[in-house]
Amino acid sequence: MRTVDIIEKKRDGGELSAEEIRFLIEGYCRGDIPDYQMAAWAMAVFFRGMTARETADLTLAMANSGDRVDLSPIPGIKVDKHSTGGVGDTTTLVLAPLVAAAGVPVAKMSGRGLGHTGGTIDKLESFAGFRTELSIGQFIEQIGQHGVAIMSQTADITPADKKLYSLRDVTATVNSIPLIASSVMSKKIASGADAIVLDVKAGRGAFMKTTEEAVALAKALVDIGEKVGRETVAVITGMDEPLGFAVGNALEVREAIDTLRGRGPWDLEELCLTLGAHMVMLGGKAAAIGEAREKLRQLLDSGLALKKLKELVAAQGGNPQAIDRPELLPQARRIVPVAADRDGYVTAIDAQEIGLAAMRLGAGRATRDAKIDLSVGVVLRCKVGDAVHAGESIADLYVNDIPRERLAEIQHSVKNAFAIGPTAPARKKLIHAVVSKEGVRDWQEPHI
Ligand code: URA
Ligand code: CA
């Protein structure tokens, strides 16, 4: 087999065999196939696409490129959850204890934040002492004992994806449905889940700008799940503004705690109940989606979900007292308001700009090894649709030491992230559709 022939076949619109795909991925991982050939192949895929069968074969080849976690010692259906990337997306911190409290074992491997999106592992380190570097043995033991564990993704999961993703990032080949779908699913399969719930974001702050594109990606993801025997459900959700109010590590932890008390922002709670209900269904702990949702509601109202978070934090060496006493979480020294410059209604909040602002305050990393400040970030004071008045604060910046000019720039970009118009915008749906092996369903948000 020759790499150049495989590239040519894809360039001309041909369908690659499983052997050809494995040859490419294995050769690339070993270093036998150079970046320039892989880049040419990725560009051919970008233009020609892949069949569902090719996409599933690519996923498996990548899943098999490194360690595969065996969660079979844990009884029950292990359900994993993944989001294609949002700003202020605190759902994992809420969902992991919530779904575990419903009796579904949660074995979560998460990453750190990079660029304008945050990572669950960084957020959890807001609890002093919280350990995220668990061995697979400790991970499995903790899930056996407490029903939930969150560990940082080991270096040996899907090395092929790591290498290919960095190459795609600099060769304008990220935005290809088969390449995104195989990248996401290879990691979920290697980390051992039996069933997978995906939050596929659509909107300005997401890879997929429209609902239609997001549905196409969701179908590719669900198809892979079907072909490799892991039941997969994808929920299409809007990312036209940050989720909830808080963006920044400890700030988001507080928001997650509020949500687990049943006092969270409307959109974050709604998303958690919807994703969580699908996880509970796939985990076999409810017969219908309404029943699953009701069960989760009760776990929020009764305090059992919050209790599970305390158990999780304590099990991993963090200080659970910070849950009842949030002043024990990292605190920024100053709060600097950003004021509206006119009267009107908020018509859009650019999630990416807000995420970048939080990063520039120190909440995120520009490079993989940069150090972050857990206490800083942005807290919105209003959401799309709210009326605001000139001079009123629309967002608060939580800051530590920062040069005055830099702070002024960030204030300016946060102000510009808010579009303010004379009339209230039509309300946009948060949950657009649900894609499963049964097909695409429109989603009725329950209390609208
Ligand atoms: N997220 C991933 O994990 N992979 C992609 O290719 C895009 C988003
Ligand atoms: Ca948030």
Side-chain angles (χ1 to χ4, degrees), residues 36-56:
Y36 54 81
Q37 283 190 307
M38 226 37 205
W41 170 80
M43 190 58 86
V45 171
F46 181 90
F47 283 112
R48 291 295 193 171
M50 281 186 137
T51 63
R53 201 226 85 238
E54 284 177 295
T55 311

Side-chain angles (χ1 to χ4, degrees), residues 313-384:
V313 169
Q316 292 187 225
N319 179 5
Q321 287 177 0
I323 292 167
D324 291 324
R325 294 173 54 202
E327 69 277 10
L328 296 177
L329 294 169
Q331 306 283 330
R333 271 198 291 283
R334 271 202 303 153
I335 299 176
V336 180
V338 174
D341 57 4
R342 73 195 79 166
D343 290 352
Y345 292 90
V346 178
T347 57
I349 306 174
D350 187 328
Q352 187 161 331
E353 275 303 320
I354 300 289
L356 281 171
M359 183 186 110
R360 290 165 70 214
L361 289 170
R365 301 180 176 76
T367 60
R368 215 164 271 280
D369 302 315
K371 205 171 149 29
I372 61 174
D373 182 342
L374 294 168
S375 67
V376 300
V378 181
V379 177
L380 309 181
R381 300 288 299 266
C382 55
K383 296 279 278 184
V384 170

Side-chain angles (χ1 to χ4, degrees), residues 82-84 161 165 168 174 176 179-184 187 207:
H82 181 82
S83 147
T84 60
D161 173 63
Y165 192 83
R168 287 165 54 210
V174 167
S176 149
L179 295 180
I180 296 174
S182 55
S183 165
V184 168
K187 285 174 281 213
F207 286 115

Side-chain angles (χ1 to χ4, degrees), residues 87-90 123 242-248 251-252 255 265 267-268:
V87 171
D89 190 340
T90 322
K123 294 173 198 174
L243 199 58
F245 293 99
V247 183
L251 296 167
E252 289 184 46
E255 190 165 76
D267 56 346
L268 180 60

Side-chain angles (χ1 to χ4, degrees), residues 229-303:
R230 316 283 173 117
E231 191 168 0
T232 302
V233 172
V235 181
I236 314 288
T237 70
M239 212 338 110
D240 293 296
E241 63 181 327
L243 199 58
F245 293 99
V247 183
N249 299 285
L251 296 167
E252 289 184 46
V253 167
R254 288 182 82 139
E255 190 165 76
I257 294 169
D258 288 342
T259 305
L260 285 166
R261 285 189 203 285
R263 297 203 298 256
W266 174 85
D267 56 346
L268 180 60
E269 177 182 293
E270 183 56 37
L271 186 57
C272 289
L273 288 174
T274 304
L275 294 171
H278 284 97
M279 291 174 78
V280 168
M281 287 278 288
L282 288 182
K285 298 290 177 188
I289 203 79
E291 179 195 333
R293 202 188 150 88
E294 192 43 41
K295 192 168 183 154
L296 297 178
R297 248 269 67 95
Q298 282 170 15
L299 290 166
L300 294 179
D301 293 344
S302 64

